[in-house]
Amino acid sequence: LEVLDGHRLQPNYTFDTFVIGKNNEQCRALCKAIADDMSRDLYCTKSINPLFIYGNSGLGKTHLLNAIAFQILQAQPEAKIKFTTCENFVNEYIASINPNQNSAPAFRSKYRSVDILLIDDIQFLAGKESTQEEFFHTFNTLHNDGRQIVIASDRPAKEIKSLEERLRTRFCLLYTSPSPRDCS
């Protein structure tokens, strides 16, 4: 399966193949809840949004992002899912602001019109001021429109040096209030 722009999902990175341990069972449960809800209804009210996952390298963050995308696409093939790395987001943004390309509107549309944004290694956003500005507006647009955001990092948001405070606080949002269009 491909997720926007040809990013290929790993068919063996599913919830069924994820090794659950004492330190990751809650994270896996939150990711599974997001995938279950969006598999039933892409436009349901998100009770876990955004979800910020952090942990050391090799503990399964990318596996979980892949598993979310894979499950949703199995149930909702029309879903607009953007699964990317922060490095790719940064590179695409830089290319989009090239005056010879004039592709900033296309870049914004691509990232702001998705049903779910899954972004890995967000710690690479640190120190990149103009890219942080763009990500801030992308995040706000998606969040305000009730679109799902799942972010993975190798450290907690509060420990990412040179990350703007307004991003750090958004990464720590967690909504759990039920609403009329709840997914359950």
Side-chain angles (χ1 to χ4, degrees):
L1 291 173
E2 293 184 2
V3 183
L4 288 182
D5 305 324
H7 180 93
R8 299 206 37 84
L9 293 176
Q10 299 297 317
N12 55 333
Y13 282 12
T14 65
F15 288 111
D16 291 337
T17 62
F18 186 76
V19 178
I20 302 171
K22 183 179 173 185
N23 294 328
N24 65 16
E25 61 189 339
Q26 184 180 15
C27 182
R28 190 246 185 225
L30 291 169
C31 291
K32 182 73 168 115
I34 289 169
D36 289 347
D37 287 348
M38 292 191 72
S39 291
R40 286 190 294 276
D41 181 357
L42 287 174
Y43 308 107
C44 64
T45 300
K46 314 306 190 266
S47 60
I48 307 166
N49 194 23
L51 177 62
F52 186 90
I53 303 168
Y54 68 89
N56 291 332
S57 185
L59 295 179
K61 298 177 301 292
T62 303
H63 187 131
L64 288 172
L65 294 176
N66 193 98
I68 292 169
F70 192 80
Q71 180 178 322
I72 294 169
L73 281 176
Q74 291 292 317
Q76 304 275 357
E78 74 285 0
K80 290 187 252 169
I81 299 174
K82 182 63 178 160
F83 178 17
T84 192
T85 63
C86 186
E87 179 184 16
N88 191 57
F89 181 89
V90 169
N91 290 338
E92 285 186 52
Y93 173 66
I94 291 168
S96 79
I97 59 174
N98 180 334
N100 298 329
Q101 300 289 330
N102 191 25
S103 57
F107 171 85
R108 288 185 183 109
S109 177
K110 177 165 100 175
Y111 278 92
R112 296 179 189 182
S113 65
V114 298
D115 297 315
I116 181 170
L117 175 62
L118 304 156
I119 190 158
D120 205 0
D121 295 322
I122 199 70
Q123 70 273 7
F124 292 115
L125 202 56
K128 297 170 179 69
E129 291 179 27
S130 66
T131 309
Q132 286 186 46
E133 178 78 17
E134 184 64 33
F135 189 78
F136 171 80
H137 293 294
T138 297
F139 182 101
N140 281 346
T141 297
L142 293 172
H143 196 263
N144 292 338
D145 289 347
R147 305 307 173 124
Q148 183 68 53
I149 304 165
V150 182
I151 301 167
S153 174
D154 67 358
R155 66 194 84 137
K158 65 183 179 186
E159 293 180 14
I160 301 174
K161 306 270 189 259
S162 303
L163 184 66
E164 291 181 10
E165 185 64 25
R166 62 186 181 166
L167 281 174
R168 190 176 288 112
T169 59
R170 276 162 180 76
F171 292 170
C172 297
L173 294 173
L174 184 61
Y175 295 95
T176 55
S177 59
S179 70
R181 194 142 184 232
D182 196 357
C183 301
S184 41

